[in-house]
């Protein structure tokens, strides 16, 4: 109770299966006494592109634009654009970050990747001397909840789906010091029966009931590639 949750949601249609998963998470976590904030990226028309517009005022080096350097310098002087400051504040306050999205091309949708690129800047989420277990966002949990187009068997035939999670869970979250809970994967909701879809939604509700008792995964290469 009293925990703060940020759900970063990347689907265009509230009536979608991802929309149902979002609704369940908001209802269930609120019922537990958590305060839940949702960043609905499509509804917000969130800008996924990392550009000069993310820096307010002067550039550190106007001669050669380097996004990483410029956002780091801007963060230090309080010169990031308003939309980034708002998202960083939500991240800062959250105990748990849930990312809810459909898997696109073995990865997250561009709008969500853009959120990662723009919000998790150096100085805020990590520093080169402070990454992984020493990352700046320690004491936070994260959970990737996503749907796939293909069945579990189709993914298994090409190798473990955990391979795809390495860049997201390890390369982004773990790098920033965030602990990672087991991913929640709903396979091919579009291609299963109505009953099966209901089962998937019930399983998500059940999981959320005991979420705070879960231990984070062991963020080692073995978890992904064993």
């Amino acid at each position: 109770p009293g925990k703060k949750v940020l759900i970063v949601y990347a689907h265009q249609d509230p009536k979608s299966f991802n929309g149902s998963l979002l609704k369940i998470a908001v209802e269930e976590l609120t019922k537990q006494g958590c305060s839940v904030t949702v960043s609905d990226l499509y509804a917000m028309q969130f800008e996924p592109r990392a550009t000069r517009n993310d820096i307010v005022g002067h550039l550190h080096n106007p001669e050669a634009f380097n996004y990483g350097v410029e956002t780091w310098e801007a963060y230090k002087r309080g010169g990031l654009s308003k939309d980034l400051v708002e998202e960083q504040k939500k991240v800062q306050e959250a105990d748990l970050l849930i990312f809810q999205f459909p898997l696109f091309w073995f990865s997250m949708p561009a709008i969500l990747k853009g959120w990662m690129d723009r919000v998790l800047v150096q100085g805020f989420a990590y520093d080169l001397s402070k990454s992984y277990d020493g990352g700046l966002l320690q004491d936070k949990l994260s959970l990737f909840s996503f749907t796939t187009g293909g069945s579990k068997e189709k993914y298994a035939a090409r190798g473990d789906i955990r391979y795809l999670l390495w860049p997201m869970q390890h390369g982004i979250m773990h790098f920033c010091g965030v602990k990672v809970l087991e991913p929640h994967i709903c396979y091919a909701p579009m291609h299963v029966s109505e009953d099966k879809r209901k089962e998937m939604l019930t399983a998500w509700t059940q999981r959320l009931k005991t979420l705070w008792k879960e231990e984070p995964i062991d963020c080692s290469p073995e978890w992904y590639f064993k």
Side-chain angles (χ1 to χ4, degrees):
K3 300 269 193 197
K4 292 194 171 179
V5 182
L6 170 63
I7 305 176
V8 186
Y9 169 70
H11 195 289
Q12 306 87 333
D13 184 4
K15 297 187 295 297
S16 63
F17 192 79
N18 272 275
S20 301
L21 292 164
L22 169 70
K23 194 162 168 280
I24 285 170
V26 172
E27 284 171 7
E28 180 53 43
L29 292 165
T30 303
K31 209 186 288 176
Q32 292 176 21
C34 301
S35 78
V36 183
T37 304
V38 178
S39 284
D40 181 341
L41 300 183
Y42 286 101
M44 291 156 68
Q45 298 192 325
F46 186 80
E47 168 61 82
R49 295 170 301 177
T51 68
R52 162 72 177 93
N53 297 339
D54 294 348
I55 295 103
V56 177
H58 69 274
L59 288 177
H60 178 68
N61 177 6
E63 302 308 307
F65 184 75
N66 177 318
Y67 185 82
V69 169
E70 292 298 343
T71 48
W72 184 27
E73 293 294 336
Y75 175 75
K76 287 190 285 193
R77 65 175 169 83
L80 287 174
S81 62
K82 187 168 162 283
D83 59 339
L84 295 193
V85 173
E86 281 170 13
E87 292 306 298
Q88 287 177 345
K89 188 168 182 290
K90 294 177 197 173
V91 171
Q92 196 71 63
E93 288 175 354
D95 298 297
L96 168 65
L97 310 168
I98 296 178
F99 300 99
Q100 181 64 60
F101 59 97
L103 199 68
F104 283 4
W105 291 116
F106 278 27
S107 187
M108 60 184 90
I111 199 165
L112 178 54
K113 178 59 166 59
W115 185 94
M116 303 280 183
D117 292 350
R118 296 180 61 227
V119 175
L120 302 177
V121 304
Q122 187 171 352
F124 169 69
Y126 70 94
D127 232 318
L128 294 182
S129 60
K130 297 186 181 78
S131 56
Y132 293 113
D133 294 336
L136 299 178
L137 299 180
Q138 288 171 58
D139 307 325
K140 295 185 190 303
L141 289 169
S142 63
L143 192 166
F144 286 82
S145 169
F146 59 93
T147 58
T148 68
S151 66
K152 192 168 188 173
E153 295 67 36
K154 280 216 173 87
Y155 277 94
R158 297 274 182 265
D160 200 305
I161 197 161
R162 288 179 174 202
Y163 300 166
L164 316 184
L165 293 160
W166 174 255
M168 300 186 230
Q169 293 185 165
H170 178 76
I172 303 176
M173 287 297 115
H174 186 202
F175 187 81
C176 297
V178 180
K179 293 180 180 65
V180 180
L181 296 172
E182 277 286 341
H184 197 86
I185 308 170
C186 291
Y187 288 96
M190 275 181 68
H191 306 296
V192 298
S193 67
E194 191 54 40
D195 283 351
K196 190 78 185 111
R197 277 199 287 276
K198 282 191 180 128
E199 270 173 43
M200 288 178 180
L201 296 175
T202 306
W204 179 227
T205 309
Q206 289 309 116
R207 178 166 182 200
L208 289 163
K209 287 184 192 304
T210 56
L211 199 64
W212 302 103
K213 295 191 173 81
E214 289 186 21
E215 284 298 316
I217 65 165
D218 153 38
C219 262
S220 64
E222 290 71 39
W223 188 90
Y224 298 90
F225 304 110
K226 63 175 182 280

